[in-house]
Amino acid sequence: MIPPYSSLLIIEDQPEICDLIELSLLDKVEQIHIAHSVSTACHLQSKYRFDVAIVDSCLPDGDPYPLVKELLAQQCKVLLMSGNFELNKRLARLPLPRIEKPFRLPTLMKSVEQAFEIPVTKTLQALNSA
């Protein structure tokens, strides 16, 4: 279940996918912020606290891996999204829920719910032992 007062960060360079995710989750969360780049996401992450972030694993302005680490350190749940997880091997190794593009809306909802179920401490332990 998605907690109703959650804040969501969508990090995806394709505006159409952002719009689809936002429209799908608009009535499920309290706040949604969108970043089309790692740099914009870093700026938002420094200003706001997020409960969950949906992160594209391949962005045009850089590797989102350091940002994912920071989000997890702030107790933000992370859902990885990609058309090909092999493009970012560091993110692919993390024990995080993931969704492969293209996706269906029921799969998106299930994946976001799954992200809320996984304790951040489990992922942080995996990061620290790597």
Side-chain angles (χ1 to χ4, degrees):
M1 184 170 166
I2 300 172
Y5 299 107
S6 301
S7 60
L8 169 69
L9 175 60
I10 302 167
I11 308 168
E12 165 61 58
D13 59 312
Q14 297 179 45
E16 307 82 24
I17 294 176
C18 290
D19 291 346
L20 177 67
I21 295 170
E22 182 180 29
L23 288 171
S24 300
L25 296 170
L26 204 52
D27 64 338
K28 305 265 189 267
V29 298
E30 186 171 314
Q31 288 185 349
I32 298 176
H33 292 270
I34 295 174
H36 297 292
S37 65
V38 173
S39 59
T40 303
C42 288
H43 174 73
L44 289 170
Q45 177 262 335
S46 70
K47 291 181 72 172
Y48 304 100
R49 286 277 196 223
F50 297 101
D51 297 301
V52 69
I54 300 174
V55 183
D56 186 358
S57 67
C58 189
L59 293 162
D61 70 329
D63 183 0
Y65 182 81
L67 175 62
V68 167
K69 286 176 59 176
E70 286 182 39
L71 289 165
L72 290 167
Q74 293 178 345
Q75 300 300 305
C76 177
K77 311 280 188 164
V78 174
L79 170 62
L80 296 177
M81 176 173 56
S82 181
N84 182 356
F85 283 104
E86 293 304 311
L87 294 177
N88 192 327
K89 300 235 186 255
R90 290 194 303 175
L91 284 177
R93 287 193 302 258
L94 293 177
L96 292 169
R98 54 195 71 210
I99 186 167
E100 193 162 337
K101 298 186 279 186
F103 53 82
R104 296 182 181 273
L105 293 181
T107 305
L108 171 68
M109 301 306 279
K110 184 177 178 183
S111 298
V112 172
E113 289 174 0
Q114 184 183 16
F116 274 103
E117 294 170 5
I118 297 175
V120 171
T121 52
K122 177 181 174 185
T123 308
L124 287 172
Q125 288 170 346
L127 271 175
N128 294 331
S129 65

